[in-house]
Amino acid sequence: EVQLVESGGVLVQPGRSMKLSCAASGFTFSSFPMAWVRQAPTKGLEWVATISTSGGSTYYRDSVKGRFTISRDNAKSTLYLQMDSLRSEDTATYYCTTGDGYDFDYWGQGVMVTVSS
Amino acid sequence: DVVLTQSPATLSVTPGERISLSCRASESVDTYLHWYQQKPNESPRLLIKYASQSISGIPSRFSGSGSGTDFTLSINGVELEDLSIYYCQQGNSLPYTFGAGTKLELK
């Protein structure tokens, strides 16, 4: 059974940093692209970033480019999202997802990130 | 960015009826169009991929059709457990985008 378990969410002040982790199990982690998708309170879904199987290619939405960094450790089957210079508009539930790189087949339970002073 | 417009925003349904939800793209996404269901306080779940491909474990009453810019998710015989928000998502070009969702509610 595929399991994606996010951690690291918390309350943080604007301008500060936070790192999310996603522990994966139940599938060959190194064979699948991984992604983060977020959902602001009472809002819809928004793709944030995707990383290739090797980690050699990364893709970001414009609003987080230069501030967020997606990475992975295939030996530990873990996905990361380093978030710097956080803004209030980054407040959301962040989901770790995987699929074929064009869709999102499996989702974690989500982790809440609140950016507020 | 590709804009996905879902309609209606809210649909009031009666159990047992057949319904169709629409997703229209601002430019062609070929068949790189996927549908998700999200129940309150739960993570989204993939229902249909590549416009019409069924997913293991998803009830057969869910089906999808379309290509290019116009897509439809159909539910043949709505059940109470289907009362959720449904999102479409395009994976044809970056940034990947989602529609705003269609909420199914009980009539």
Side-chain angles (χ1 to χ4, degrees):
Chain A
E1 179 193 4
V2 173
Q3 285 200 321
L4 300 169
V5 180
E6 302 96 337
S7 61
V10 73
L11 172 65
V12 63
Q13 293 180 327
R16 302 296 291 268
S17 299
M18 177 186 296
K19 188 171 186 177
L20 304 181
S21 300
C22 170
S25 62
F27 66 105
T28 305
F29 181 77
S30 60
S31 297
F32 291 87
M34 298 294 296
W36 291 95
V37 173
R38 68 185 180 185
Q39 185 170 35
T42 72
K43 301 297 184 183
L45 300 166
E46 183 175 80
W47 169 77
V48 175
T50 291
I51 187 167
S52 63
T53 54
S54 67
S57 296
T58 56
Y59 312 90
Y60 301 90
R61 67 179 304 102
D62 284 349
S63 62
V64 308
K65 208 171 290 184
R67 300 189 300 122
F68 288 13
T69 303
I70 188 172
S71 62
R72 64 191 298 162
D73 184 335
N74 285 344
K76 294 183 178 179
S77 296
T78 302
L79 175 72
Y80 303 100
L81 185 66
Q82 174 68 44
M83 303 185 291
D84 299 324
S85 303
L86 281 161
R87 306 168 180 168
S88 57
E89 54 264 36
D90 296 319
T91 294
T93 296
Y94 285 73
Y95 295 101
C96 168
T97 76
T98 188
D100 62 6
Y102 305 99
D103 65 10
F104 308 110
D105 289 66
Y106 299 98
W107 298 65
Q109 84 285 355
V111 61
M112 184 66 199
V113 173
T114 302
V115 184
S116 175
S117 53
Chain B
D1 298 2
V2 176
V3 176
L4 298 179
T5 302
Q6 291 189 243
S7 60
T10 304
L11 184 61
S12 299
V13 302
T14 300
E17 70 176 303
R18 177 182 171 87
I19 64 167
S20 293
L21 310 182
S22 172
C23 177
R24 183 162 293 177
S26 60
E27 62 187 75
S28 176
V29 297
D30 196 352
T31 57
Y32 287 76
L33 191 287
H34 318 296
W35 291 94
Y36 302 84
Q37 176 193 58
Q38 187 176 32
K39 297 183 179 181
N41 300 312
E42 293 188 8
S43 303
R45 176 174 70 153
L46 180 66
L47 289 180
I48 297 288
K49 63 194 301 182
Y50 294 100
S52 61
Q53 292 183 18
S54 59
I55 303 295
S56 175
I58 300 300
S60 59
R61 63 181 178 274
F62 291 94
S63 62
S65 63
S67 67
T69 61
D70 289 316
F71 300 87
T72 300
L73 173 70
S74 298
I75 308 178
N76 189 13
V78 172
E79 299 189 4
L80 287 176
E81 66 180 19
D82 300 335
L83 300 180
S84 312
I85 300 177
Y86 293 84
Y87 295 97
C88 57
Q89 174 250 325
Q90 66 83 17
N92 185 64
S93 60
L94 293 171
Y96 296 149
T97 50
F98 291 85
T102 291
K103 182 179 182 180
L104 288 194
E105 63 177 27
L106 194 61
K107 186 177 291 182

